[in-house]
Amino acid sequence: MTMNIESVTLTYERAKGDPVTAIRDIDLEVRRGEFVSLIGPSGCGKSTLLHCMGGMLRPSSGRITVDGEPITGPKPSRAAFVFQDYSLFPWRSVVDNAATGLRFAGVRKAERRAVAMKQLELVGLDHVAESYPAELSGGMQQRVAVARALAMDPQIMLMDEPFGALDEQSRRRIGIEMSNVLTEAEKTVVMVTHSLDEAIFWADRVLVMGKGPGRIVREFVVDAPRPRRLDFMTTASFDTLRAELFGLLEGAPEEVVAP
Amino acid sequence: MRQPSAQRGAPRQRRAHSASLLRSAIVIGVILLWEILVRIGVIDGDFLSAPTEVVRAMADLLGDPDAQEAFRRTGSSILLAFVMGTSAGLFVALALGASRLLREAFLGPIAFVLSTPKSIFLPIFTLIFGLGGMSAAAFGAFESFFYVVVNVIGGLGLVEQRHLKVADAFGARTVHRYADVILPAALPGIFAAFWYGIKHAFLGVMIAQLWASDGGIGPLIRTYSAALKTDYVLAIVLLITIVAVVAGALWTRAETRMNRWRSTGAATVATI
C-alpha cells in the first residue's frame, strides 16, 4: 500500500465569502507499514491534510491516491480515523461502538461483534465490552476508538491528535501501548500531534508543517526500530531530534509561520 | 468527615420511606375527613359526593355498557388525535431540523401558536367536522402537533456534529445517520414530544367533547353534571386520573430504560 499526495491544495470560503487557502501544493508519499507524524503550529492545516487523506475533505486541486486509486470520499476499510475527542456513541455499548464501521458496512451482528471483541482484546478492553462509554476513563475511551478503527482492518490509520485530551501520564502510557499494538498489527499510521515527544517517539518520519498557507517545510527521519521502549526518550538521538524540532518550531518562526 | 456512601444510603432510604408514609397518611386523612364532613352534613352531598359513593358509582360505570361505549369512543378519538398530531409533528420537525431556511421561516409562528390558548380555534373544528368523533380527534391532533414539533426540534438540537463526523468517517449512509446518530441523540426530545403529544391529544379531545359532541366521556360528564350526579362525575374524573397516573409511570419506566446510557441528567431536553 502506498498513498500518494500530489500537489494538493485546499481553499475554502470564509463566512464573509473571502477565500482562504488552508494547505497549498502538498506532495507526500506514505509507504506501507510506515508511521508518519505531522507537527506544526496551530492552524497550519495538519488536520485539514489528514481529513483530505481520509476523503472527508476534497482538495481544490491536486490528487490523493492509494495504490493508484483516487480518494473521492471516506472509505474506512482503506483509511480509518481516530479523533482527538474519541467521539464514541454514548448510547451504544463499548463492543457496539467498536463495531460501528462494520455495522455501517452491513456485516451481520454476530460477526461484527466477534471482530470488535477481538480488537477490544488487542487494546485490553474486552472486560468492559458491555459497559457504556460514560463508565470509562478518557484513556479507555480512546482505546475503544482505536479498536473501532482497527475493526475495519484499514490499510492506513489516520489519527488526529489522538491523545490530546489525556493527561500527560495517561498520554505517554496509552501512547506507548497503542504504538506497540499498531506496530504489531503492521498498520500504516499518519498521526497529527502537537507534542514533540509523541511525534518523535511514534514516527519513522516527522513532517513539520508551516502555515500561511499550510505546507510541509521539513522532514526528519527517526532512525530507530519500532516498537520502541520508553527509554528511547532518554537517548541522545531522541534529544538531538527533539532540540532540532523545537528550534524549528519555536526558534525560527519565519520558516514555519511565514509564507 | 464524609460518611461512606453505604452509610449515607441508609438514612436516605429511611427518609424516603417516612415521606411515603406521610404522603399516604395525608391522602387517607383527607378522604376520611371528606367522608365525615359529607356524612354529618357540613358538605352538601348533592354538590360533593362522599368518597364511598364515588367508589360505588365507579363500579356502576365500569359495568354500564353505555359508559363503556363512551370510554371506548373517547379512547379511539384520543388515539386517532395522537397518531395524527404526532405523525404530522414529527414530519414537520424533521423537515425543520434538516433545513435552516424552513426553521427560520416557520419555527417562530409555530412557537407563537404554541403559546396561544388553542381552544379559541375549537368552533372552527366543530364547523368543519361537525359533532362526531372526528371533530374531537382533529382538535386533539391540532393541540398536540405544536408540542411535538417544538420538543422534537429541541431533541434534534442535542445531536452533536462530532458524532455525525464519526458516522461519515466510518461510511454511514443516510439511513445510518438517522438510525444510529440522529434518533438516539434526539431520543429525550422525541420521548418528551410523544408524552406531550398524548397529553395534549387527550386534553384536546376532552375539551372538544365537553364543548360539543354527540358521544364519548364529554357528553357523559355533561349529562351527569346537569343531573347533579356528582358521584358519577367524580368517578369518571377518578378513572381518568388512574389511567393518567398508570400511563405516566409506564412511560417514565420506558424512558428510563431507553436512556439508561445517560449517566447524568445533563443532556435532558427542556420541555414545554
Side-chain angles (χ1 to χ4, degrees):
Chain A
M1 188 288 315
T2 304
M3 176 181 269
N4 279 298
I5 297 165
E6 297 164 26
S7 306
V8 163
T9 295
L10 189 136
T11 303
Y12 64 91
E13 269 189 17
R14 280 206 183 110
K16 289 176 186 169
D18 50 329
V20 178
T21 301
I23 50 175
R24 180 187 286 165
D25 290 332
I26 304 274
D27 287 296
L28 176 65
E29 184 181 280
V30 180
R31 293 173 287 273
R32 182 186 169 82
E34 193 179 25
F35 278 25
V36 176
S37 295
L38 288 173
I39 194 165
S42 294
C44 71
K46 305 181 292 288
S47 291
T48 303
L49 177 58
L50 200 77
H51 281 71
C52 288
M53 289 176 173
M56 295 286 282
L57 290 173
R58 183 169 285 201
S60 313
S61 64
R63 65 180 213 144
I64 304 177
T65 57
V66 173
D67 293 335
E69 185 194 340
I71 290 176
T72 52
K75 187 177 173 189
S77 60
R78 179 181 55 209
F81 277 92
V82 176
F83 297 106
Q84 179 184 5
D85 55 7
Y86 336 129
S87 297
L88 302 178
F89 296 153
W91 47 86
R92 291 218 183 286
S93 66
V94 163
V95 65
D96 286 335
N97 263 288
T100 296
L102 296 169
R103 175 176 154 77
F104 294 163
V107 177
R108 284 186 312 109
K109 189 173 182 178
E111 194 181 333
R112 67 176 185 252
R113 280 175 72 95
V115 174
M117 276 306 289
K118 201 173 153 193
Q119 302 309 325
L120 287 173
E121 273 174 41
L122 204 65
V123 298
L125 287 179
D126 49 315
H127 62 291
V128 291
E130 299 302 333
S131 302
Y132 285 94
E135 299 169 84
L136 308 186
S137 67
M140 290 165 95
Q141 290 191 47
Q142 192 55 292
R143 279 147 70 188
V144 178
V146 171
R148 177 174 63 188
L150 283 172
M152 301 309 295
D153 192 19
Q155 292 172 293
I156 184 162
M157 298 270 286
L158 302 172
M159 306 177 81
D160 193 359
E161 295 186 52
F163 312 114
L166 304 179
D167 63 84
E168 188 61 32
Q169 207 175 1
S170 307
R171 183 179 187 143
R172 186 171 298 140
R173 184 173 48 79
I174 292 165
I176 292 168
E177 275 175 28
M178 291 303 102
S179 169
N180 292 344
V181 165
L182 295 174
T183 300
E184 279 162 24
E186 298 179 343
K187 292 294 170 196
T188 306
V189 177
V190 179
M191 180 173 73
V192 166
T193 179
H194 274 115
S195 160
L196 297 177
D197 290 350
E198 206 167 75
I200 302 165
F201 184 84
W202 268 71
D204 301 311
R205 276 191 295 156
V206 180
L207 303 175
V208 181
M209 289 186 71
K211 68 176 181 181
R215 69 217 185 280
I216 295 170
V217 293
R218 283 281 292 279
E219 176 180 319
F220 294 87
V221 174
V222 185
D223 193 13
R226 283 185 290 109
R228 294 166 186 155
R229 289 163 28 140
L230 188 59
D231 56 12
F232 171 59
M233 292 173 113
T234 61
T235 60
S237 60
F238 187 95
D239 279 348
T240 309
L241 203 49
R242 194 183 189 288
E244 269 193 77
L245 272 174
F246 183 81
L248 186 61
L249 288 166
E250 303 294 331
E254 67 282 356
E255 189 179 352
V256 178
V257 176
Chain B
M1 188 188 289
R2 285 172 67 84
Q3 289 177 308
S5 58
Q7 284 179 24
R8 284 202 307 274
R12 195 179 300 154
Q13 269 186 344
R14 273 201 300 274
R15 199 163 52 243
H17 185 64
S18 303
S20 173
L21 280 177
L22 182 67
R23 212 162 36 231
S24 307
I26 286 176
V27 171
I28 292 167
V30 168
I31 291 171
L32 279 175
L33 185 68
W34 174 7
E35 181 77 31
I36 291 163
L37 290 176
V38 174
R39 296 247 178 233
I40 62 174
V42 174
I43 294 175
D44 188 338
D46 285 340
F47 293 103
L48 187 64
S49 305
T52 46
E53 286 167 20
V54 174
V55 172
R56 188 184 42 76
M58 197 194 291
D60 281 355
L61 280 172
L62 290 173
D64 177 7
D66 290 342
Q68 286 169 5
E69 174 61 14
F71 276 103
R72 195 196 58 74
R73 283 186 67 167
T74 299
S76 18
S77 289
I78 291 169
L79 190 64
L80 188 59
F82 171 68
V83 170
M84 290 193 301
T86 308
S87 314
L90 260 177
F91 177 76
V92 170
L94 290 175
L96 297 190
S99 160
R100 189 172 287 179
L101 175 70
L102 287 176
R103 209 159 50 242
E104 281 186 19
F106 296 110
L107 193 55
I110 285 172
F112 175 75
V113 179
L114 182 80
S115 61
T116 57
K118 281 164 281 300
S119 31
I120 56 172
F121 299 104
L122 183 53
I124 298 170
F125 285 85
T126 312
L127 281 172
I128 296 172
F129 296 103
L131 295 175
M134 194 56 208
S135 177
F139 182 68
F142 177 72
E143 268 272 0
S144 66
F145 169 81
F146 299 95
Y147 290 91
V148 172
V149 172
V150 170
N151 279 292
V152 171
I153 286 180
L156 292 174
L158 296 174
V159 179
E160 294 185 49
Q161 277 305 316
R162 63 193 183 110
H163 292 137
L164 289 171
K165 184 173 153 186
V166 164
D168 290 341
F170 281 86
R173 292 191 294 274
T174 306
V175 64
H176 295 129
R177 280 170 70 90
Y178 275 94
D180 290 68
V181 181
I182 295 172
L183 289 178
L187 208 56
I190 293 170
F191 259 103
F194 280 19
W195 178 243
Y196 280 94
I198 191 88
K199 201 168 130 182
H200 285 274
F202 173 81
L203 205 66
V205 167
M206 286 309 299
I207 290 171
Q209 287 191 346
L210 282 167
W211 159 264
S213 173
D214 59 0
I217 298 176
L220 205 62
I221 292 176
R222 281 207 313 268
T223 308
Y224 286 137
S225 299
L228 275 181
K229 289 187 168 179
T230 46
D231 48 350
Y232 283 86
V233 175
L234 288 172
I236 292 171
V237 172
L238 192 60
L239 276 171
I240 292 170
T241 308
I242 290 168
V243 170
V245 168
V246 170
L250 290 173
W251 192 264
T252 306
R253 209 178 163 135
E255 188 177 6
T256 308
R257 192 178 158 75
M258 293 290 281
N259 281 319
R260 65 188 187 277
W261 54 270
R262 282 180 194 275
S263 57
T264 68
T268 51
V269 69
T271 50
I272 297 168

